Amino acid sequence: MSYPDKIKNIYLTQLAEIQHAGIFKEERFIHSSQSADIEVEFPSGSDLKKVINMCANNYLGLSSHPEVIRAAHEGLDTRGYGMSSVRFICGTQDIHKELERRVTEFLGTEDTILFPSCMDANAGVFEAILTSEDIMISDRLVHASIIDGMRLCSAQHDTFKHSSMEHLEEKLLLHADKRLKLVITDGVFSMDGDTAKLDEMVKLCEKYDAMLLVDDSHASGFIGKTGRGTHEFCNVFGKIDVITTTFGKALGGASGGCVSGRKEIVEMCRQKARPYLFSNTIAPVIVSGVLKVFDILSASTERRDKLEKNAAYWRKGLTEAGFLLKEGNTPIVPVMLFNAKLSQDFSRDLFNEGIYAIGFFFPVVPNGQARIRTQISAGHEIHHLDKALGAFIKVGKKYGILGLTKDQIIEKYGL
Ligand SMILES: *Cc1c(COP(=O)(O)O)cnc(C)c1O
């Protein structure tokens, strides 16, 4: 054991650098359950403030739904608190298998394997199904967990420009000689809220004998007319070889993820995926909660329909007020400010007006593309959205950006 000042200072220096770069992350403490209305404390010890939450992944408003909570209680009472085992030793309950069946049915795949998280699903899947004779071709904007998963895999790797089908085709041609080709994309991209062109990607994959993997974490439960995901939205339901997704966003928001897709691929994961083999799976209380989420979603599309209406209302309101948005048709609505400091000032002023929405800037988004990313929920009522809109307009007027073009905002605030 040795922790002299010399070592300590190495870390202190790095932490100071992060502070200096203005990218030090500070957590705010929420003193209520996750919902449209939350009570937030800043670590600086400010008073609790009631705000409207515009930045949760709680798309369907199910994170504190009474029926989900009741189901979780029942799961706790009937199946206990923990399994104290990984799945293949003595950690598989009947409800784990039931959830795998439900996910398979919902996503329209052949089979499903649960993971402790989608991060773990992505960490395990590539290594389990590919070797050094194979190639992974990924969109340049895929989620960090996919990047990490690809790093853990011995297959070769290449990328294509974000959503460029021409570039993807070039890469498929370039790698025609590889044993297996796996094309990899997010279904909905979380920073811009745009959707992958899965219809075109399926065609290209069929033409060049490639498999397609879609991470649908920001889509499962609400994108597509019955909420099955981006494959439903793009009319390629049943045609995706591998889908990874999370239960930590729309589907109750607790934790857990899965790989769902071709039977053999799921079986390879069961045999070889290391986060599955060496980490405890989802606790019974969460499995029970997610099962209830699927009951709710199968019974009616009411929640995803409401979410769609809310998101359209929000987009229209902001656009009419003169804000610049990233185009899209998802509940992720980025309000573009371009300048990093402006995004931070804007976010702080919104908070003072009772609206909780975070400003993102480099390196989370490309340089000069700072923004407030808003995320709409079925848990929002029109009065929430109207209040938030009022606050955005008030702060937008303060900074004089309403009705300005991108160039005008940049001229005014710089990059
Ligand atoms: C959130 C997210 C994940 C991680 O999900 P967890 O279950 O919280 O680990 C993975 N991929 C994408 C695209 C995500 O948005």
Side-chain angles (χ1 to χ4, degrees), residues 39 72 83 151 155 189 192 230 238-239 242 249 258-259 276 300 315 327 359 370 376 381 394:
E39 281 194 301
M83 291 308 296
R151 280 192 192 132
F189 291 85
D192 289 353
T230 315
K239 292 192 175 171
V242 194
K249 293 191 168 99
C258 66
V259 171
Y276 182 79
S300 131
R315 267 184 191 281
E327 290 296 313
I376 302 306
E381 302 301 335
K394 183 170 172 191

Side-chain angles (χ1 to χ4, degrees), residues 168-237:
L168 171 58
E169 184 157 22
E170 269 176 43
K171 292 300 170 86
L172 284 164
L173 275 165
L174 180 67
H175 297 290
D177 60 326
K178 303 298 187 298
R179 188 189 68 144
L180 298 174
K181 297 178 278 295
L182 179 63
V183 174
I184 301 156
T185 186
D186 290 12
V188 170
F189 291 85
S190 60
M191 283 302 145
D192 289 353
D194 57 326
T195 37
K197 299 168 184 157
L198 292 189
D199 44 351
E200 294 180 52
M201 296 180 88
V202 163
K203 273 195 204 125
L204 283 174
C205 287
E206 281 171 355
K207 183 168 171 193
Y208 294 99
D209 275 338
M211 298 186 287
L212 179 58
L213 180 147
V214 180
D215 180 337
D216 232 6
S217 290
H218 279 281
S220 296
F222 56 98
I223 297 289
K225 68 179 188 310
T226 65
R228 307 299 159 123
T230 315
H231 56 331
E232 183 182 35
F233 178 76
C234 294
N235 293 314
V236 286
F237 195 73

Side-chain angles (χ1 to χ4, degrees), residues 117-119 122 143 145 186 215 217-218 246 249 256:
S117 68
C118 188
M119 174 100 198
N122 288 335
H143 190 259
S145 58
D186 290 12
D215 180 337
S217 290
H218 279 281
T246 183
K249 293 191 168 99

Side-chain angles (χ1 to χ4, degrees), residues 118-162:
C118 188
M119 174 100 198
D120 282 322
N122 288 335
V125 62
F126 301 106
E127 196 203 9
I129 64 171
L130 301 173
T131 72
S132 57
E133 295 172 68
D134 307 325
I135 181 87
M136 306 176 283
I137 308 175
S138 60
D139 186 287
R140 288 195 181 155
L141 290 190
V142 291
H143 190 259
S145 58
I146 291 181
I147 294 171
D148 286 3
M150 293 190 298
R151 280 192 192 132
L152 292 169
C153 173
S154 63
Q156 298 156 61
H157 180 222
D158 205 343
T159 61
F160 60 97
K161 290 179 203 152
H162 177 53

Side-chain angles (χ1 to χ4, degrees), residues 9-269:
N9 286 333
I10 289 175
Y11 295 124
L12 286 176
T13 308
Q14 287 181 41
L15 289 167
E17 278 166 14
I18 296 172
Q19 282 269 16
H20 186 70
I23 52 174
F24 194 88
K25 293 179 219 39
E26 256 189 320
E27 291 166 1
R28 293 89 173 164
F29 314 135
I30 298 179
H31 287 244
S32 51
S33 56
Q34 186 63 277
S35 142
D37 298 293
I38 52 172
E39 281 194 301
V40 180
E41 174 197 351
F42 268 83
S44 50
S46 62
D47 292 338
L48 284 189
K49 189 168 169 69
K50 283 201 166 89
V51 292
I52 296 173
N53 194 354
M54 303 294 291
C55 55
N57 300 313
N58 183 18
Y59 296 112
L60 293 170
L62 291 172
S63 302
S64 340
H65 191 284
E67 280 183 49
V68 176
I69 293 171
R70 202 172 316 122
H73 276 293
E74 263 167 44
L76 192 57
D77 291 339
T78 60
R79 296 296 189 287
Y81 174 66
M83 291 308 296
S84 303
S85 170
V86 299
R87 283 284 297 274
F88 82 97
I89 298 178
C90 55
T92 300
Q93 287 174 321
D94 53 345
I95 54 173
H96 289 102
K97 293 313 289 183
E98 192 185 336
L99 180 55
E100 288 176 345
R101 273 196 304 276
R102 293 297 292 279
V103 174
T104 302
E105 186 191 311
F106 189 79
L107 296 179
T109 52
E110 292 174 8
D111 200 0
T112 298
I113 171 174
L114 303 180
F115 279 84
S117 68
C118 188
M119 174 100 198
D120 282 322
N122 288 335
V125 62
F126 301 106
E127 196 203 9
I129 64 171
L130 301 173
T131 72
S132 57
E133 295 172 68
D134 307 325
I135 181 87
M136 306 176 283
I137 308 175
S138 60
D139 186 287
R140 288 195 181 155
L141 290 190
V142 291
H143 190 259
S145 58
I146 291 181
I147 294 171
D148 286 3
M150 293 190 298
R151 280 192 192 132
L152 292 169
C153 173
S154 63
Q156 298 156 61
H157 180 222
D158 205 343
T159 61
F160 60 97
K161 290 179 203 152
H162 177 53
S163 276
S164 165
M165 294 301 106
E166 296 73 33
H167 202 214
L168 171 58
E169 184 157 22
E170 269 176 43
K171 292 300 170 86
L172 284 164
L173 275 165
L174 180 67
H175 297 290
D177 60 326
K178 303 298 187 298
R179 188 189 68 144
L180 298 174
K181 297 178 278 295
L182 179 63
V183 174
I184 301 156
T185 186
D186 290 12
V188 170
F189 291 85
S190 60
M191 283 302 145
D192 289 353
D194 57 326
T195 37
K197 299 168 184 157
L198 292 189
D199 44 351
E200 294 180 52
M201 296 180 88
V202 163
K203 273 195 204 125
L204 283 174
C205 287
E206 281 171 355
K207 183 168 171 193
Y208 294 99
D209 275 338
M211 298 186 287
L212 179 58
L213 180 147
V214 180
D215 180 337
D216 232 6
S217 290
H218 279 281
S220 296
F222 56 98
I223 297 289
K225 68 179 188 310
T226 65
R228 307 299 159 123
T230 315
H231 56 331
E232 183 182 35
F233 178 76
C234 294
N235 293 314
V236 286
F237 195 73
K239 292 192 175 171
I240 311 298
D241 303 296
V242 194
I243 296 172
T244 65
T245 194
T246 183
F247 309 131
K249 293 191 168 99
L251 302 175
S255 68
C258 66
V259 171
S260 191
R262 304 287 178 200
K263 217 173 180 51
E264 300 73 27
I265 287 174
V266 169
E267 195 54 49
M268 287 294 281
C269 287

